[in-house]
Amino acid sequence: MPKISNRALNMPESPIRKLVPYAEQAKKDGKKVYHLNIGQPDIETPKIVLDTMSKLNLKVIEYSHSAGFQSYREGLADYYKKFGINLNPNNEIMITTGGSEALVFAFQTCLEPGDELIIPEPFYANYNGFTITTGIKVVPVTAKIENGFALPHMSEFEKLITPKTKGILICNPGNPTGYLYSKEELETLRDIVKKHDIFLFADEVYREFCYDGAEHYSCLQLEGIENNVVLVDSVSKRYSMCGARVGALISKNAELMGMALKFGQARLSPPTFGQIAGEAALATPQSYFDNVIEEYVERRDIIIDGLNKIEGVICPKPKGAFYAIAKLPIDDSDKFCQWLLEDFDYNGQTVMLAPATGFYATKGSGTQEVRIAYVLNKESLKNAVVCLEEALKVYPGRVQ
């Protein structure tokens, strides 16, 4: 039998999706499963998008330009002007098949196999998959739950920088922590990036979701490193249209964008329907976001306040996105999350969580932590908190 590649063998399972078979079996057994494991919002997609798609009258579903439809790129440039960011739609914006492809293209364009990429952990689990795909080595710098997952001190980054360090990757607001980096923290990163002349990859797909009066500051607004910043964006969460699979790669580095386009040409073009939906979404009224943010704040408060009332649970309150990391009084988060689905129910109900071990690169980290996505309606979140409280009372691996 032919040998499978080491790349495939080393590709990690998704901590978000690997427990799906257990959830499916739990449902077959008659249990109600509250899915807090995955960032699939139940928020309705903007009406303007759905109306546009329902009224389509295409005779041919054509390829687009490899960088995406010109009109969509121009629309995105107008969108960014709202944040004081001026972009040239002709050579500084490239439409991609989701934010995932944007990151892969960025890595392929900027880094060589074996290069090192510093990422504050815990981080979005699929970053592991993207770096394995492109042969990059992840070098984690650990953020602590005790200070709400704030950016580690500059000295912690400096310790990790070697001649092979070619970039730093951040997600702001963060998945899985919901932490929102301040302007001052980003300026600290700016100084490191400028000093060592490395890339700063910024995943800003949750930009619209900032709470308690906090404001998002984009890495594209950092002065002095315009050619170092590579931005990743997506329509998935902003407009609750995860299945559209449309994102964007953005940089003011002309050489970088020209080289990235070659990878875009190799895959021909981003999806036509997704681009049509994405362009229509740009006309979404501000009232949509105001309502969504109000809803997420209420959901956040239900889940975070509820968890922190449970004995032994620590869960910092996020200021952005719709995720949180909670530390539980358990021996092993992978075992606990599987046990919830296989062996536990409370009044016929249970909860699906994502073990946080998959969001760390440091071995042994996250064993008492889980990621929670508060994407369900408020009643479901209240029930999920009760389920977790009851589960922790009887879990065989509970610790003090």
Side-chain angles (χ1 to χ4, degrees):
M1 180 183 294
K3 188 175 182 294
I4 299 297
S5 74
N6 286 329
R7 185 184 293 108
L9 294 172
N10 291 329
M11 180 68 79
E13 284 187 294
S14 167
I16 304 165
R17 294 174 177 266
K18 70 179 183 179
L19 295 174
V20 167
Y22 299 101
E24 290 174 340
Q25 185 58 52
K27 292 174 186 176
K28 288 179 183 177
D29 294 340
K31 298 179 186 177
K32 166 74 174 177
V33 178
Y34 294 108
H35 284 271
L36 304 184
N37 62 303
I38 191 166
Q40 172 56 68
D42 65 355
I43 302 293
E44 288 189 4
T45 303
K47 185 175 184 298
I48 192 168
V49 175
L50 300 178
D51 287 347
T52 298
M53 301 309 289
S54 68
K55 293 173 183 176
L56 278 180
N57 186 28
L58 298 179
K59 302 301 181 186
V60 179
I61 302 170
E62 299 177 317
Y63 289 127
S64 74
H65 188 290
S66 293
F69 288 122
Q70 178 73 22
S71 59
Y72 186 22
R73 285 180 277 138
E74 290 173 353
L76 277 175
D78 288 339
Y79 163 82
Y80 275 95
K81 283 179 184 175
K82 295 189 298 183
F83 306 102
I85 298 168
N86 294 312
L87 295 168
N88 185 333
N90 297 317
N91 55 20
E92 294 178 349
I93 301 174
M94 176 181 170
I95 308 304
T96 57
T97 308
S100 301
E101 186 179 72
L103 260 181
V104 171
F105 282 179
F107 294 163
Q108 289 172 321
T109 302
C110 301
L111 307 174
E112 300 284 359
D115 283 347
E116 296 176 352
L117 180 67
I118 298 174
I119 314 179
E121 65 176 359
F123 53 75
Y124 177 45
N126 281 348
Y127 292 164
N128 278 321
F130 303 152
T131 53
I132 286 173
T133 298
T134 50
I136 300 163
K137 180 183 177 184
V138 172
V139 178
V141 56
T142 306
K144 303 292 187 182
I145 195 170
E146 289 78 15
N147 63 355
F149 298 107
L151 187 74
H153 192 270
M154 191 192 317
S155 61
E156 297 301 309
F157 284 88
E158 291 283 2
K159 289 177 190 174
L160 301 174
I161 291 177
T162 74
K164 286 198 166 188
T165 304
K166 297 298 170 62
I168 296 171
L169 168 61
I170 63 166
C171 182
N172 188 38
N175 175 5
T177 64
Y179 187 83
L180 178 68
Y181 292 125
S182 66
K183 179 182 178 182
E184 292 71 28
E185 286 174 304
L186 293 176
E187 288 175 339
T188 298
L189 273 181
R190 185 264 317 275
D191 294 341
I192 299 171
V193 167
K194 190 171 184 178
K195 175 182 176 182
H196 297 280
D197 196 22
I198 57 179
F199 288 104
L200 176 57
F201 301 98
D203 182 343
E204 297 186 358
V205 305
Y206 299 98
R207 178 186 303 108
E208 252 77 12
F209 306 119
C210 300
Y211 314 130
D212 305 327
E215 293 185 5
H216 181 265
Y217 192 81
S218 174
C219 287
L220 285 173
Q221 295 170 286
L222 294 169
E223 296 181 358
I225 56 169
E226 288 80 4
N227 285 325
N228 302 71
V229 174
V230 186
L231 191 79
V232 170
D233 208 346
S234 169
V235 304
S236 289
K237 308 304 166 64
R238 181 170 302 138
Y239 306 109
S240 195
M241 39 195 278
C242 301
R245 307 313 306 134
V246 163
L249 176 65
I250 299 169
S251 179
K252 300 191 79 66
N253 186 322
E255 181 185 16
L256 185 162
M257 293 302 291
M259 295 299 104
L261 183 57
K262 294 194 290 186
F263 291 103
Q265 291 168 344
R267 62 85 164 99
L268 303 182
S269 72
T272 293
F273 285 132
Q275 290 186 82
I276 294 170
E279 186 171 347
L282 292 172
T284 301
Q286 182 59 40
S287 58
Y288 173 87
F289 297 108
D290 294 342
N291 292 335
V292 170
I293 288 170
E294 182 180 351
E295 177 68 19
Y296 276 134
V297 167
E298 292 176 359
R299 293 179 180 192
R300 179 199 64 175
D301 292 349
I302 287 170
I303 200 84
I304 307 305
D305 294 348
L307 286 172
N308 283 318
K309 288 176 183 175
I310 300 173
E311 184 180 357
V313 175
I314 300 171
C315 189
K317 182 166 283 190
K319 285 199 172 183
F322 37 69
Y323 304 101
I325 290 280
K327 184 177 181 181
L328 308 179
I330 55 176
D331 58 346
D332 185 297
S333 57
D334 287 273
K335 290 180 182 176
F336 177 69
C337 292
Q338 185 171 331
W339 173 85
L340 281 171
L341 297 169
E342 277 195 305
D343 301 313
F344 172 80
D345 75 272
Y346 177 70
N347 293 336
Q349 303 172 98
T350 191
V351 181
M352 188 175 185
L353 306 172
T357 50
F359 297 88
Y360 286 86
T362 302
K363 298 297 182 186
S365 295
T367 54
Q368 288 189 291
E369 296 173 3
V370 295
R371 188 195 74 164
I372 291 169
Y374 45 92
V375 293
L376 303 183
N377 63 69
K378 287 173 277 195
E379 193 61 33
S380 292
L381 291 176
K382 290 175 184 176
N383 292 338
V385 170
V386 172
C387 278
L388 275 174
E389 183 173 16
E390 295 301 320
L392 288 169
K393 290 177 182 177
V394 297
Y395 176 57
R398 183 179 174 116
V399 296
Q400 296 302 318

